[in-house]
């Protein structure tokens, strides 16, 4: 709500002090020579606040969306190398669409229009972009705006907070059955890519992500202390896993075993001289086709590994530690696999009470 005060100065002139107060925003004040200008200013400020276009500091009028994205890519993303490539690609789309705009002109309405455009675009696969993929684009710009607000002080409010994300279809959880696992491993043995079989085997044994596996160097595998140290994790935190007997056998069977400690374990076969990370997408796709397995990706191996752990008695907290999740929410999907373990636990508890007189009376 806006208000105007008329101020008489000592020299006889008059000025008009305007103030706008709206819930959730700090008061904004201005001084004008005429009441008309003061009223117009109040209307503009109230309108921009309601539309999510108001930024109190002058910084929002000094920087463009493109400058914000460039700074985020240069200064923030390097802290998370696992996300850097994908997040950069998402943010470059935003830079192409609205990088020329001043931050003061980036409103919730502009972001919502971009969201709708994302949903209508045809991807390289010839299909409409899915709501889940669209949400990744929205999350990328939302995080950038959040850092811009909280750490750089370029904006006072995040216009992304008022933009609704499209509803996603329920996630389809796909797990390999024991028979599918055996068929897949047999198909991987037939592959010409020497990295495919050890990568698939380790994913099924350790539940590591593809990026975590391909980012491993020999210094990360400690055969003496029997640990695997993951530095390139999704959340940017270092994670240490136990080196099991089967995992040790797989590592020692790799073609690069015995290389210097700073070399990657899984290297590209096409660019061996440049020591680039391997890519097995096409090889994995061909292996699943030979094995007659549909609807799976490399990430399915991670889900399958956790399902095997749960069926063998792993608790949710243990699964969270192995997978690198900070909360138990992400591992609740595996809880139904551990019902046999829980039933055995409850039956053991019942056995300790079987001689209780009070319990017999109840039964």
């Amino acid at each position: 709500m806006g208000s105007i005060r008329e101020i008489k100065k000592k020299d006889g002139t008059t000025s008009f002090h305007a103030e706008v107060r709206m819930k959730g925003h700090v008061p904004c004040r201005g001084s004008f020579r005429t009441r008309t200008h003061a009223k117009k200013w109040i209307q503009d400020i109230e309108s921009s606040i309601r539309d999510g276009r108001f930024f109190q500091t002058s910084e929002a009028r000094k920087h463009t969306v493109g400058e914000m994205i460039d700074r985020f890519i240069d200064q923030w993303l390097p802290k998370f190398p696992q996300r850097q490539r994908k997040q950069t690609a998402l943010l470059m789309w935003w830079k192409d669409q609205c990088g020329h705009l001043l931050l003061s002109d980036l409103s919730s309405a502009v972001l919502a229009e971009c969201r709708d455009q994302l949903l209508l675009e045809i991807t390289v696969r010839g299909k409409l972009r899915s709501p889940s993929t669209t949400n990744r684009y929205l999350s990328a710009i939302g995080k950038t705006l959040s850092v811009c607000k909280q750490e750089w002080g370029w904006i006072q409010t995040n216009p992304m907070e008022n933009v609704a994300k499209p509803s996603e279809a329920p996630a389809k959880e796909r797990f390999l059955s024991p028979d599918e696992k055996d068929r897949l491993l047999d198909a991987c043995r037939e592959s010409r890519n020497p990295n495919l079989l050890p990568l698939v085997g380790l994913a099924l044994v350790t539940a590591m992500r593809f990026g975590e596996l391909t980012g491993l160097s020999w210094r990360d595998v400690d055969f003496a202390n029997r640990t695997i140290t993951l530095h390139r994790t999704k959340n940017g935190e270092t994670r240490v896993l136990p080196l099991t007997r089967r995992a040790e056998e797989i590592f020692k069977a790799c073609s690069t075993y015995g290389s210097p400690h700073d070399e990657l374990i899984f290297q590209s076969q096409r660019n061996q001289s440049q020591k680039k990370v391997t890519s097995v997408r096409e090889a994995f796709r061909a292996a699943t086709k030979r094995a007659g397995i549909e609807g799976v990706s490399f990430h399915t191996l991670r889900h399958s590994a956790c399902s095997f752990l749960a069926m063998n008695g792993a608790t949710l907290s243990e699964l969270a530690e192995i997978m690198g999740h900070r909360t138990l929410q992400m591992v609740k999907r595996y809880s139904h696999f551990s019902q046999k373990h829980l039933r055995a636990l409850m039956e053991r508890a019942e056995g300790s009470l079987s001689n209780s007189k009070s319990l017999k009376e109840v039964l």
Side-chain angles (χ1 to χ4, degrees):
M1 181 177 179
S3 61
I4 299 175
R5 287 189 303 137
E6 184 176 343
I7 305 296
K8 294 286 186 179
K9 298 182 179 179
K10 292 182 179 181
D11 60 2
T13 60
T14 302
S15 66
F16 297 88
H17 288 196
E19 182 179 40
V20 175
R21 289 179 175 270
M22 294 188 75
K23 187 176 181 180
H25 297 270
V26 296
C28 190
R29 302 176 180 87
S31 182
F32 305 89
R33 292 182 178 179
T34 67
R35 184 181 294 274
T36 301
H37 288 159
K39 287 182 178 179
K40 178 66 168 56
W41 178 82
I42 289 175
Q43 292 172 355
D44 290 342
I45 293 297
E46 290 179 340
S47 176
S48 62
I49 290 176
R50 283 191 291 267
D51 294 342
R53 294 181 291 105
F54 176 70
F55 302 93
Q56 187 181 12
T57 65
S58 59
E59 294 296 323
R61 300 181 181 90
K62 295 180 181 178
H63 302 285
T64 65
V65 175
E67 292 173 347
M68 173 190 67
I69 291 174
D70 287 340
R71 182 176 177 182
F72 185 83
I73 291 174
D74 292 340
Q75 298 182 11
W76 185 267
L77 283 184
K79 302 176 184 177
F80 306 92
Q82 190 74 0
R83 312 179 194 174
Q84 192 168 8
R85 184 178 62 84
K86 290 184 178 180
Q87 290 294 303
T88 298
L90 298 177
L91 289 172
M92 291 309 294
W93 184 92
W94 288 101
K95 186 176 180 180
D96 291 340
Q97 296 298 315
C98 48
H100 62 284
L101 293 177
L102 290 172
L103 286 172
S104 56
D105 295 328
L106 185 65
S107 65
S108 299
V110 171
L111 292 171
E113 186 177 345
C114 290
R115 174 203 61 199
D116 297 340
Q117 182 179 340
L118 281 165
L119 289 168
L120 293 175
E121 285 183 351
I122 303 298
T123 66
V124 294
R125 297 182 180 180
K127 298 180 180 180
L128 284 173
R129 185 174 285 111
S130 67
S132 60
T133 303
T134 298
N135 284 338
R136 294 191 186 100
Y137 281 85
L138 296 176
S139 296
I141 193 65
K143 178 61 178 179
T144 306
L145 287 165
S146 178
V147 172
C148 184
K149 169 190 172 183
Q150 297 174 7
E151 298 201 6
W152 306 338
W154 287 5
I155 56 177
Q156 291 295 313
T157 58
N158 184 349
M160 190 64 221
E161 294 175 354
N162 299 321
V163 179
K165 292 184 177 181
S167 300
E168 299 182 22
K172 296 180 180 179
E173 300 297 346
R174 178 72 162 90
F175 306 93
L176 293 179
S177 67
D179 177 63
E180 287 178 324
K181 180 190 70 171
D182 293 338
R183 281 157 40 203
L184 177 60
L185 290 172
D186 288 339
C188 290
R189 291 186 182 95
E190 300 174 9
S191 175
R192 291 182 296 175
N193 190 321
N195 290 320
L196 182 61
L197 180 59
L199 281 171
V200 170
L202 286 170
L204 289 169
V205 170
T206 65
M208 283 192 277
R209 299 180 179 91
F210 179 76
E212 294 170 344
L213 284 165
T214 56
L216 286 174
S217 60
W218 283 111
R219 68 156 56 94
D220 300 325
V221 183
D222 188 340
F223 292 102
N225 295 312
R226 306 192 64 78
T227 60
I228 306 170
T229 303
L230 306 179
H231 300 285
R232 296 180 57 186
T233 62
K234 187 176 181 180
N235 59 19
E237 296 180 352
T238 299
R239 187 164 90 253
V240 179
L241 293 175
L243 177 64
T244 63
R245 179 186 57 79
R246 183 61 184 137
E248 180 181 5
E249 293 174 353
I250 295 174
F251 278 123
K252 290 184 175 180
C254 291
S255 59
T256 57
Y257 178 63
S259 300
H261 285 185
D262 59 344
E263 286 197 8
L264 292 172
I265 297 176
F266 302 104
Q267 298 176 12
S268 172
Q269 299 302 300
R270 296 181 180 179
N271 300 283
Q272 289 184 338
S273 60
Q274 300 181 27
K275 308 299 182 184
K276 290 188 176 180
V277 173
T278 186
S279 174
V280 296
R281 176 178 296 181
E282 294 302 325
F284 182 79
R285 189 177 299 163
T288 57
K289 186 175 181 179
R290 285 195 302 271
I293 302 173
E294 298 180 351
V296 300
S297 64
F298 197 92
H299 201 70
T300 305
L301 307 180
R302 176 172 162 87
H303 293 313
S304 301
C306 290
S307 69
F308 299 147
L309 289 169
M311 285 188 288
N312 283 279
T315 64
L316 294 185
S317 60
E318 290 169 341
L319 287 175
E321 185 174 355
I322 292 171
M323 299 185 73
H325 292 308
R326 294 174 178 173
T327 66
L328 299 182
Q329 187 64 35
M330 292 297 294
V331 295
K332 284 186 176 179
R333 70 184 77 177
Y334 307 107
S335 59
H336 63 285
F337 287 109
S338 60
Q339 292 303 308
K340 182 179 179 180
H341 170 68
L342 294 177
R343 184 167 59 252
L345 177 64
M346 294 177 68
E347 288 175 350
R348 288 198 303 269
E350 286 180 1
S352 65
L353 296 174
S354 60
N355 296 323
S356 171
K357 181 178 179 182
S358 58
L359 181 62
K360 290 179 179 180
E361 290 175 354
V362 172
L363 297 176

